[in-house]
Structures are given as structure tokens and as C-alpha cells.
């Protein structure tokens, strides 16, 4: 991990150097365009996952009105980078979509995963029916059908499995073009986690990670926008994107049959139902997969995203600010409203309670705050 | 400026001049500076190579040279191999050169030899402007315009009529090695044409006059005198174009389809070395994974060095031969 951190720092150094050179000599470079932070303001640095970045930026903006002396600075460099940086203690908190491995827990002693919100992943598609009209109704995907499509076992749109589940839609006899993320991402982690839960064959052949070896390589698009573009380009394409992205861009997405056998459309309530099914006992790590959750109303393809903090902080001032921020995130109505407005899914109360319990046990140099 | 400070400045200047004179009119300083600059370049290349080598002990130990021809890239099972990416990089770069060189040299000849003055200036300026367009813009343009409007119909045409050839085999998605090559060719076109134009403009007029005096047509003058005369420069321009094509990342990642299958079809999605690094570096969560990506960078670095050396040898060969041929 050290090397990656080193490369990153070198890059950061270059950027700083470049901006320093580019800044005009007339004004002192310390001048901030926004309202100047109060004297004695503390800058808290974080780095990690890109998936919650829009929400975190919003939260830091909101929180600046709550605590004017805290200035949060977050670099969305990816979950891998976030884990590396918090392990090396170069940042005050990390962020990750993926659950830490045992080796990563060992490397970063006493680290705690703090779930902040959940995100849902939805299947999006672009197909014309047998009349040549683009299908804009919600397709129903039976229990293992997404796994079978991505395994290459369901090859055509008029496969009996899909046809039987969608009797009112004239599915064409067209090859399915499989689209997936090309960049390593929490979205892929959540999606492959779901596929591995519903299909033993998927688990064995591909597994789940932020980047996997795809049984059907298909087309890789960079980012949600890349996947959406590739799906849009190809008649007969299927892909997966974040719920928020699909909703904000008016993409057509499908309903998926969950573990209880019900076809569910993605919604904030459906994902909260999934969290609540698992949420009564999160365990000490507070980290678990909510993919393929039981319960009739649960949306099956979803994941928590986490902040990474040490249970024993070394810098008491910054540590206190981080803890206060997390408490605000989990208990303030404005924080929840911000999350909902960006189509992220706030934790249900049962989960919030356990996380707040854990956060209240964070210490600084062995002493309580 | 006040009189006093002007006087001060004068004395400073005269002292500096005295120093210059003492050091042999600045020759010593000048030589030292240029040697330093030369060493800096050499040092940068060596340091880059060394640090890439030094950062990749894990995959070199685990996979050895097999890394080069394994096509297994599986982050979940910790298996890594570079073949699909090496293949994709070389294929798209060569295809891009095949498309860009004739057009680029053609533009250069037109601008340098045939175009009237009022065309030469604005067109030359536009070509240089094309070189300044950021690659992400090219990527977006290719994704939303070039692929649906040009590449996909062309691919379908090639596939229906020549689909029996493995290089034109289906299925067609849109994003493909061909799409990446077309974008690359557009991106390296300005480099090649601008440099070649300068090469042609630098050829002494005596060469043209001699050819015309011997009764050569304009075509004969260009193809038999000017092109051989400027060959080393043209090759140099092609090398620079190739260098850009090998390393181009963003635009290629957006249009190539990022598919690790090793198929021969140019209409199929593919992958390049630069793309895999750009795609997976941020979320590479364990050391072997990160180092394998860096090793891809090392391979790209070595391939670029080798191709440049070969091209450099070629230039020397041509440069030695050129004057005699031009005279003959």
C-alpha cells in the first residue's frame, strides 16, 4: 500500500506545484474565494470512495453552517486509495464502498467501518420490441436472470425465462449486449455481490469485487455515464448504474425478483426495507452485505457505503470534529433530507442506533472525549 | 526609474559582463547548462524506468515473464496477465498510423507545395489548433458523434461484405478497436501533418528547381525528389505520432469498449495498456493488484523505448542514404 500512497502523493505534489506556478503573483495564494473560515479553523482531510462523493460534498457544505470552525476536505480517489491512506494515517478519515478484508483490518489496527448511507444499483436496458418501438415499460427480471445474462446463459431477449416474466411485452429475438463498468467501482462491487448471492455459478466463476473477470466481457463503459452511453448506443443492451444516476437521467430501469419471490421496483423505501431486514444486529464491525435481502418489499441490489475512522484517535481536536460530524450525519434532519434529495438512501433507525452507539465509544489517546 | 537605480543596474550589468568575459564569453557556463539539460533528460528516463522496475517486485516474482503472454486478468483470484492490453495497444496504434500517415503527409504536401498562400496560413493554423484539443473532448465527440455516425455504419458495411475475414468478424456494438483507432488517427494527424509541412518547407528550393529543370512534373518532383529528401523528417514525425498513439488514455478508454477478449476482429471491443491502468488503479485494493498495474506501465514504457529506438535507427539509415538518392 505504501507505494500507491507514494505515487499518489507525488501526483498531488505535482498538481500543487502546477497550481502554485499558475497562480497570479498579485494576490497572496492563501486568499479563499469563499467566506473565510474563522480563526482557529481546523482542516480535516479525508479520502476514498467516489460513489458517495456528491453526497459527502453536500454534507460538508451543510455542516459548515453547523460548525463554522471545521473545514472538511475530501478527495474522491477511490475506495482502494481511501483504505491505503487511512492505513498510512495520512488522512483523518477514509471512505470505502467495499468491506475491509481481514488483511486490511490487520494492517490498520483498531479501524472501524461506519455506514453512512446506502446506494442502490438498478438494471437499465435499451431494446426495441418486435414492433420496432423502444420498450419504456418496466421489465421484470426473475430471480437468477441477471446472473444468467451476465454469465452468458441467457443470450437473447426472447429467452423463455424473460418472456414468461413479461407476458405483456413483445420481446424481440435479439442478442443481449452486456454492458458493465470498466473502471473499478463500488457500483460493480455491489452488483457482483448481488450476483454472487443469487447464483452459485457466478460466485464460483467471477466472484465479487470492485473489478472482476467477466464471464461475458461485453462492453465496458467508464463511470455511470459511460455505461449509460454504451447502453444507449446499442439496441438490445443491458447495463447497471446507480439508482440516483438512473433516476436523475430518466433512464428506463427494471424490477427485480427478490429472495421472497416478489418483483420489486427500486425506491428509497425498498432499500430501507432491505437494510431493516439485516439491520437488527449489525455485529461489531458494522459492515455487512445487504444484497439479496429477505423480506417481501426489499430491493435486492444495494450496498452500504462507509467512513473509515480509528476507534482511538491520535489528534484530539480533529478526532472530536470527525465524531461530531458523524453524529450530525446520523441524527440531523437536514443531513437526511440532503441524502434523499440526491437519491441516496438514509439508514433506518434500527441501524442508526447501533452506529451512534459505536461512534460514542471513539476515544482519543485512550481517553473519552 | 530613478537615476540612482539606473546607475546601480548599469554597474550590475557591467559586473555580469566582466564575469562573462572572464569565463570565456559564457562558453563554459553555456556548455555546463546544456550538459546539465542533457543529463536531466537521460536521468529522467533512467529514473522512470528504475522506479517502475523497483515498484513491481510482487508480480515479477509471482508471474515472471509469463505476465507478458498470459491473458488472465482476474482481480478476485489475484491472477494477472498483460497480453490483451499489449495486443490492443499495438493494434490500435498501428491501425491509427495506417490511417493518419497517408492523410497527414498528404495535408503536409498540399500545404507546403500546392496550396495558395491564403489557404496555407489558416489551414495550418487550424491543424495546430487540432493538436491542442484535450483528449477527453475527442473521447466525448467520438462517443456521441463519431461512433453512431461513422464507425458503426462502416463496421456494419465491412461486416456484411467482408465478414468472412476474421478481422471483420461480428458482432458489432459500436465501441471497438476500430473506433479507438479512428479517434487516435484524428489525434495524431495534426502532429504528423504539422511536422511534415515544416520538413517540406525546409527543403531548399534548388531541389525543386533542379527537378523541374529536368522536365519533371509536379507529381514527379514531389514523389521522387521532395519525399525522399525529407524522408528522415517524415519518419521523425511518424514516430512522434506513434508515441502519442501508444500512450493515449482517456479518449481510447471512452470508445474502445474495455473488453479483455483476445479476438482478431478490429470491429470487436478491445483494451489497451493505458486504459487498464486508468480504469482500475483507483480501486486496486491490494498490493499485488497495484503492482501488476504498475508493471503494465513498465511494459508500456519498454515498448515505447524499443519502438522509438527502432524508428531512430530507421531515421539514421535513411538520413545516410538520402543525399545520394536525391542527387542520383
Amino acid at each position: 500500500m505504501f507505494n500507491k500512497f507514494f505515487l499518489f502523493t507525488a501526483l498531488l505534489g505535482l498538481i500543487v506545484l502546477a497550481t502554485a506556478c499558475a497562480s497570479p503573483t498579485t494576490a497572496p495564494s492563501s486568499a479563499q474565494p469563499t467566506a473565510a473560515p474563522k480563526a482557529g479553523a481546523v482542516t480535516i482531510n479525508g479520502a476514498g470512495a467516489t460513489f458517495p462523493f456528491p453526497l459527502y460534498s453536500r454534507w460538508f457544505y451543510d455542516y459548515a453552517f453547523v460548525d463554522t470552525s471545521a473545514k472538511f476536505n475530501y478527495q474522491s480517489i477511490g475506495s482502494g486509495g481511501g483504505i491505503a491512506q487511512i492505513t498510512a494515517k495520512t488522512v483523518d478519515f477514509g471512505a470505502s464502498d467495499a468491506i475491509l478484508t481481514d488483511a486490511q483490518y490487520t494492517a490498520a489496527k483498531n479501524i472501524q467501518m461506519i455506514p453512512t448511507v446506502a446506494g442502490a444499483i438498478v438494471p437499465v436496458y435499451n431494446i426495441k420490441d418486435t414492433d420496432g418501438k423502444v420498450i419504456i415499460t418496466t421489465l421484470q427480471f426473475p430471480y437468477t436472470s441477471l446472473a444468467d445474462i451476465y454469465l452468458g446463459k441467457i443470450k437473447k431477449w426472447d429467452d423463455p425465462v424473460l418472456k414468461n416474466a413479461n407476458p405483456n411485452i413483445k420481446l424481440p429475438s435479439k442478442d443481449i449486449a452486456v454492458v458493465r463498468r470498466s473502471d473499478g467501482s463500488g457500483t460493480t462491487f455491489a452488483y457482483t455481490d448481488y450476483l454472487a448471492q443469487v447464483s452459485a455459478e457466478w460466485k464460483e466463476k467471477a466472484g465479487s469485487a470492485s473489478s472482476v473477470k467477466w464471464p461475458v466481457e461485453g462492453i465496458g463503459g467508464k463511470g455511470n455515464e459511460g455505461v449509460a452511453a454504451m447502453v444507449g448506443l446499442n439496441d438490445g443492451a443491458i447495463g447497471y448504474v446507480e439508482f440516483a444516476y438512473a433516476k436523475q437521467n430518466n433512464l428506463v430501469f427494471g424490477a427485480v425478483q427478490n429472495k421472497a419471490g416478489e418483483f420489486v421496483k427500486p425506491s428509497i423505501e425498498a432499500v430501507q426495507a432491505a437494510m431493516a431486514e439485516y439491520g437488527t444486529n449489525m455485529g461489531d464491525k458494522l459492515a455487512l452485505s445487504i444484497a439479496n435481502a429477505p423480506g417481501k418489499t426489499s430491493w435486492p441490489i444495494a450496498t452500504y457505503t462507509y467512513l473509515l475512522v480509528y476507534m482511538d484517535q491520535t489528534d484530539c481536536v480533529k478526532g472530536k470534529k470527525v465524531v461530531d460530524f458523524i453524529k450530525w450525519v446520523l441524527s440531523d434532519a437536514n443531513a437526511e433530507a440532503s441524502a434523499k434529495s440526491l437519491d441516496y438512501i438514509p439508514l433506518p433507525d434500527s441501524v442508526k442506533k447501533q452506529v451512534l452507539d459505536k461512534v460514542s465509544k471513539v476515544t482519543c489517546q485512550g481517553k473519552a472525549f | 526609474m530613478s537615476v540612482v537605480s539606473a546607475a546601480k543596474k548599469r554597474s550590475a550589468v557591467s559586473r555580469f559582463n566582466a564575469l562573462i568575459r572572464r569565463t570565456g564569453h559564457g562558453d563554459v557556463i553555456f556548455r555546463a547548462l546544456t550538459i546539465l539539460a542533457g543529463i536531466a533528460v537521460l536521468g529522467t528516463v533512467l529514473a522512470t524506468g528504475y522506479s517502475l522496475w523497483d515498484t513491481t517486485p510482487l508480480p515479477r516474482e509471482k508471474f515472471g515473464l509469463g505476465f507478458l503472454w498470459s491473458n488472465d486478468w482476474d482481480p478476485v483470484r489475484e491472477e494477472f496477465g498483460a497480453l490483451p492490453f499489449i495486443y490492443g495497444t499495438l493494434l490500435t496504434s498501428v491501425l491509427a498510423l495506417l490511417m493518419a500517415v497517408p492523410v497527414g503527409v498528404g495535408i503536409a504536401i498540399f500545404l507546403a507545395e500546392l496550396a495558395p498562400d491564403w489557404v496555407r496560413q489558416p489551414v495550418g493554423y487550424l491543424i495546430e489548433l487540432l493538436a491542442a484539443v484535450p483528449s477527453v473532448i475527442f473521447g466525448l465527440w467520438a462517443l456521441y458523434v463519431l461512433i453512431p455516425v461513422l464507425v458503426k455504419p462502416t463496421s456494419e458495411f465491412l461486416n456484411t461484405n467482408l465478414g468472412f475475414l476474421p478481422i471483420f468478424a461480428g458482432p458489432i456494438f459500436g465501441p471497438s478497436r476500430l473506433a479507438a483507432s479512428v479517434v487516435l488517427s484524428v489525434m495524431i494527424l495534426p502532429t504528423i501533418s504539422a511536422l511534415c509541412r515544416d520538413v517540406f518547407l525546409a527543403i531548399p528550393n534548388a531541389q525543386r528547381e533542379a527537378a523541374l529543370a529536368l522536365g519533371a512534373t509536379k507529381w514527379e518532383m514531389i514523389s521522387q525528389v521532395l519525399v525522399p529528401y525529407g524522408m528522415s523528417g517524415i519518419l521523425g514525425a511518424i514516430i512522434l505520432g506513434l508515441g502519442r498513439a501508444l500512450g493515449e488514455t482517456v479518449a481510447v478508454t471512452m470508445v474502445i469498449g474495455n473488453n479483455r477478449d483476445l479476438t482478431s476482429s478490429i470491429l470487436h471491443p478491445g483494451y489497451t495498456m493505458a486504459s487498464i491502468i486508468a480504469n482500475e488503479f483507483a480501486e486496486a485494493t491490494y498490493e499485488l493488484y497495484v503492482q501488476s498495474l504498475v508493471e503494465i506501465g513498465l511494459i508500456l514504457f519498454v515498448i515505447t523505448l524499443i519502438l522509438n529506438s527502432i524508428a531512430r535507427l530507421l531515421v539514421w539509415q535513411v538520413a545516410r542514404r538520402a543525399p545520394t538518392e536525391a542527387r542520383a
Side-chain angles (χ1 to χ4, degrees):
Chain A
M1 282 307 154
F2 176 77
N3 285 321
K4 186 164 169 179
F5 157 67
F6 183 77
L7 284 172
F8 175 77
T9 335
L11 205 70
L12 207 69
L14 269 178
I15 292 165
V16 168
L17 206 70
T19 37
C21 292
S23 68
T25 47
T26 46
S29 55
S30 59
Q32 293 291 329
T34 49
K38 284 196 174 155
V42 184
T43 304
I44 295 135
N45 293 307
T50 46
F51 169 66
F53 177 58
L55 175 60
Y56 287 177
S57 325
R58 174 67 177 275
W59 274 347
F60 297 145
Y61 174 79
D62 290 345
Y63 194 65
F65 295 100
V66 178
D67 181 355
T68 46
S69 65
K71 191 170 172 291
F72 281 86
N73 174 23
Y74 182 76
Q75 305 294 325
S76 59
I77 57 172
S79 300
I83 295 167
Q85 298 242 345
I86 190 69
T87 305
K89 298 196 177 182
T90 45
V91 289
D92 304 308
F93 65 93
S96 168
D97 303 320
I99 296 172
L100 298 187
T101 61
D102 289 344
Q104 283 164 344
Y105 267 114
T106 320
K109 269 207 175 58
N110 213 358
I111 195 133
Q112 179 62 47
M113 300 193 76
I114 307 282
T116 50
V117 283
I121 318 298
V122 299
V124 292
Y125 44 83
N126 170 27
I127 1 156
K128 292 191 184 118
D129 62 15
T130 44
D131 297 337
K133 272 189 249 159
V134 176
I135 296 173
I136 49 165
T137 41
T138 304
L139 279 183
Q140 310 223 39
F141 291 96
Y143 191 53
T144 59
S145 62
L146 286 173
D148 290 341
I149 288 171
Y150 275 79
L151 278 167
K153 284 162 75 181
I154 294 179
K155 287 194 167 71
K156 288 194 180 284
W157 280 105
D158 64 348
D159 189 282
V161 174
L162 295 176
K163 253 188 146 165
N164 292 340
N166 300 282
N168 300 324
I169 297 169
K170 296 177 202 159
L171 286 165
S173 173
K174 202 164 173 56
D175 286 335
I176 300 178
V178 171
V179 182
R180 37 129 196 128
R181 287 284 285 268
S182 64
D183 48 331
S185 95
T187 310
T188 298
F189 177 82
Y191 190 65
T192 52
D193 184 26
Y194 161 75
L195 296 180
Q197 302 262 355
V198 297
S199 159
E201 191 178 346
W202 181 272
K203 193 171 187 175
E204 189 225 327
K205 277 193 179 160
S208 56
S210 54
S211 184
V212 300
K213 184 178 184 179
W214 298 88
V216 180
E217 275 282 322
I219 315 160
K222 194 163 162 55
N224 285 303
E225 64 286 0
V227 170
M230 295 301 178
V231 170
L233 264 178
N234 286 287
D235 180 22
I238 186 168
Y240 60 90
V241 297
E242 279 164 33
F243 175 52
Y245 184 85
K247 224 178 145 193
Q248 285 153 18
N249 292 281
N250 296 318
L251 303 181
V252 185
F253 47 80
V256 175
Q257 190 176 29
N258 65 16
K259 207 173 186 175
E262 301 289 326
F263 285 98
V264 182
K265 284 189 194 177
S267 66
I268 287 181
E269 294 72 31
V271 179
Q272 282 190 323
M275 286 190 268
E277 286 292 336
Y278 282 127
T280 42
N281 190 2
M282 293 281 287
D284 200 39
K285 286 183 174 175
L286 294 181
L288 55 81
S289 160
I290 49 170
N292 200 26
K296 287 197 165 202
T297 54
S298 301
W299 174 252
I301 322 171
T303 179
Y304 285 116
T305 185
Y306 305 89
L307 288 182
L308 305 172
V309 293
Y310 285 102
M311 281 307 281
D312 189 39
Q313 296 283 322
T314 39
D315 185 324
C316 292
V317 178
K318 287 183 177 181
K320 178 96 171 62
K321 301 262 181 218
V322 172
V323 167
D324 286 348
F325 172 70
I326 295 172
K327 283 180 179 163
W328 175 83
V329 160
L330 292 169
S331 51
D332 192 274
N334 284 333
E336 181 159 330
S338 288
K340 277 187 175 166
S341 73
L342 293 171
D343 295 303
Y344 289 88
I345 297 115
L347 309 184
D349 290 342
S350 58
V351 177
K352 274 182 181 166
K353 193 178 162 298
Q354 295 169 63
V355 179
L356 280 168
D357 269 2
K358 183 60 103 180
V359 171
S360 66
K361 290 184 186 124
V362 174
T363 56
C364 177
Q365 297 174 3
K367 283 179 221 138
F369 281 113
Chain B
M1 194 183 281
S2 73
V3 184
V4 181
S5 70
K8 255 190 197 160
K9 197 181 171 198
R10 250 200 311 281
S11 79
V13 168
S14 69
R15 250 183 289 145
F16 181 68
N17 283 340
L19 182 75
I20 299 259
R21 241 173 278 126
R22 263 209 306 284
T23 52
H25 293 282
D27 278 1
V28 178
I29 297 171
F30 182 64
R31 186 189 297 168
L33 281 177
T34 47
I35 288 177
L36 212 64
I39 290 174
V41 171
L42 198 67
T44 310
V45 172
L46 288 178
T48 309
Y50 174 77
S51 66
L52 285 172
W53 178 265
D54 193 47
T55 322
T56 54
L58 289 178
R60 276 188 285 117
E61 199 175 296
K62 187 170 176 196
F63 309 117
L65 279 177
F67 190 77
L68 290 174
W69 53 80
S70 157
N71 68 346
D72 200 14
W73 183 273
D74 189 340
V76 177
R77 287 180 187 77
E78 312 200 354
E79 290 291 335
F80 298 101
L83 189 60
F85 316 115
I86 297 174
Y87 171 68
T89 297
L90 292 178
L91 183 70
T92 50
S93 301
V94 168
L95 266 180
L97 277 188
L98 284 179
M99 283 183 271
V101 168
V103 180
V105 174
I107 292 173
I109 290 173
F110 172 72
L111 287 182
E113 303 297 326
L114 306 171
D117 267 346
W118 62 271
V119 173
R120 186 176 299 177
Q121 285 295 336
V123 172
Y125 175 70
L126 279 178
I127 285 171
E128 275 154 27
L129 200 70
L130 203 60
V133 175
S135 56
V136 66
I137 307 287
F138 277 115
L140 275 178
W141 169 69
L143 195 55
Y144 290 108
V145 180
L146 199 59
I147 289 181
V149 173
L150 178 72
V151 177
K152 218 174 164 191
T154 312
S155 302
E156 269 152 14
F157 174 80
L158 287 171
N159 181 245
T160 358
N161 294 294
L162 296 163
F164 56 89
L165 294 171
I167 61 161
F168 297 128
I172 291 158
F173 297 114
S176 61
R177 300 190 178 109
L178 179 66
S181 309
V182 173
V183 178
L184 280 177
S185 71
V186 175
M187 294 177 73
I188 63 178
L189 191 66
T191 313
I192 293 176
S193 55
L195 284 170
C196 286
R197 180 198 54 187
D198 292 347
V199 166
F200 285 117
L201 289 177
I203 296 175
N205 256 337
Q207 294 288 334
R208 293 182 186 84
E209 284 158 7
L212 293 175
L214 288 171
T217 62
K218 211 152 201 184
W219 160 247
E220 285 165 341
M221 173 193 87
I222 291 167
S223 63
Q224 290 171 25
V225 178
L226 299 189
V227 170
Y229 191 94
M231 190 48 99
S232 67
I234 295 172
L235 279 174
I238 295 173
I239 297 167
L240 278 178
L242 179 65
R244 183 161 191 204
L246 286 172
E248 177 47 45
T249 312
V250 178
V252 171
T253 308
M254 289 167 87
V255 301
I256 199 168
N258 302 303
N259 178 311
R260 289 166 210 141
D261 290 338
L262 265 179
T263 51
S264 53
S265 173
I266 61 166
L267 308 181
H268 199 263
Y271 225 136
T272 69
M273 288 188 266
S275 297
I276 184 83
I277 298 173
N279 272 327
E280 299 197 355
F281 191 74
E283 294 280 340
T285 38
Y286 51 91
E287 197 63 0
L288 177 69
Y289 192 178
V290 176
Q291 292 196 8
S292 296
L293 287 168
V294 178
E295 188 168 350
I296 299 259
L298 176 66
I299 296 168
L300 182 56
F301 181 74
V302 170
I303 286 179
T304 314
L305 271 187
I306 292 173
L307 284 178
N308 269 299
S309 313
I310 293 173
R312 189 48 57 193
L313 287 174
L314 212 65
V315 170
W316 280 336
Q317 202 79 22
V318 170
R320 264 206 303 275
R321 223 175 43 209
T324 44
E325 258 183 23
R327 253 182 265 127

